[in-house]
Amino acid sequence: MKTMFAAFVAFVGFAGLASAQAPVAVVEDVQGKVTGAEFMDYVAPGKVIKLGPAGTIVLSYMKSCWREVITGVGTVIVGAEASMVHLSEVKASKVKCDSSHSPLIGREVGESAATVFRGLSEDGPMSPQFTLYGLSPLVETMGRGKLVVERLDVKGERYDVDLTGASVVRGRFYDFAKTGTRLKPGGIYAASLGARRTVFSIDREAEPGSRPIVGRLVRLE
């Protein structure tokens, strides 16, 4: 069994070098000794992650909406929609997420995300690009400045956030759950930072608090 697993690790490692692949999962949490991944990393198929005795990692797959809590000594190989795990314990479950959002997150570096937002008008209602299942978005930004989240279908709801070092996790993530800020179920919102802008909706049954990240992630690259 060990020989077969080692051979598989070698194979996927070679495959990852042979052709770059888009990310398929996000690392929602890391505890203890974990090598090969950090909190809020995006990981692609073939990525090998190793856990130590007290190690825990939480992986959420953006297309399959499959969330895995993996603990204990072992090795994890990221797959397309789920992980292959050797020795470690896995507790997996389906969570609410918009699988159509994954191509936007997994967009290759060669195709600028500005292309996605260029066609969006700043005036009038717009069709959402994806749906969130948590009331408090986690917004990924690639810079400093003023982050604006404004409701489009109903006037009067707007949030202005000055992005500072203390408020931004890992230099690029702002979590509305940290301040207890909740958007409205069923609402349509625009998030913008400088020239970057995207539109999303909130599911009518979305829940408050620090829900699974894959279901409330907004990316502004």
Side-chain angles (χ1 to χ4, degrees), residues 76-87:
V76 180
I77 300 175
V78 176
E81 296 187 357
S83 303
M84 179 177 179
V85 180
H86 182 60
L87 298 179

Side-chain angles (χ1 to χ4, degrees), residues 103 123 135:
D123 300 317
L135 296 179

